[in-house]
Amino acid sequence: MNALREVIAVVVFIVAVVSLSNLVLNGFDGRLLIATVICFIAAYIIWPSKRKGARQGDNSLLDIIEFIIELPIDLFLWLFRSITRIFRSNDSHLDIDL
């Protein structure tokens, strides 16, 4: 079952990368941007992550693929958390925690 999830996640991730390159090369399209973001999120959710305990074996190729698939979401979350730290203070009522 994990092999099927891995293949589907890789295919969805490749679709997201192709869509992103199409978005950059051919101009901005809002629907394509939304589809690209949804594909990245779907690949992240579908992938059986070692951190989530869904994959037990030690396979360096799968570890590399996992790093590549999880990188866009991890970068977005890091950026979002960094921005919220700027706006978070003891005086402000704005406090966003993830």
Side-chain angles (χ1 to χ4, degrees), residues 3-96:
L4 180 62
R5 287 178 63 193
E6 292 164 355
V7 169
I8 291 172
V10 168
V11 169
V12 171
F13 185 79
I14 290 171
V15 168
V17 170
V18 169
S19 298
L20 183 64
S21 66
N22 189 13
L23 188 68
V24 170
L25 296 176
N26 293 334
F28 181 78
D29 181 18
R31 288 182 277 170
L32 187 59
L33 177 66
I34 291 171
T36 302
V37 170
I38 289 172
C39 284
F40 277 125
I41 292 171
Y44 180 80
I45 291 171
I46 294 170
W47 181 262
S49 178
K50 238 182 185 179
R51 288 189 285 178
K52 299 173 193 170
R55 193 168 53 87
Q56 301 297 329
D58 287 333
N59 188 337
S60 60
L61 178 63
L62 290 179
D63 290 341
I64 293 169
I65 294 172
E66 178 176 345
F67 175 75
I68 293 170
I69 287 178
E70 292 180 352
L71 184 66
I73 302 297
D74 289 341
L75 285 176
F76 174 77
L77 291 175
W78 174 80
L79 180 67
F80 185 74
R81 288 179 185 136
S82 298
I83 291 172
T84 57
R85 284 188 197 122
I86 293 170
F87 293 110
R88 185 177 10 186
S89 68
N90 293 336
D91 300 337
S92 174
H93 296 289
L94 178 65
D95 189 16
I96 302 172

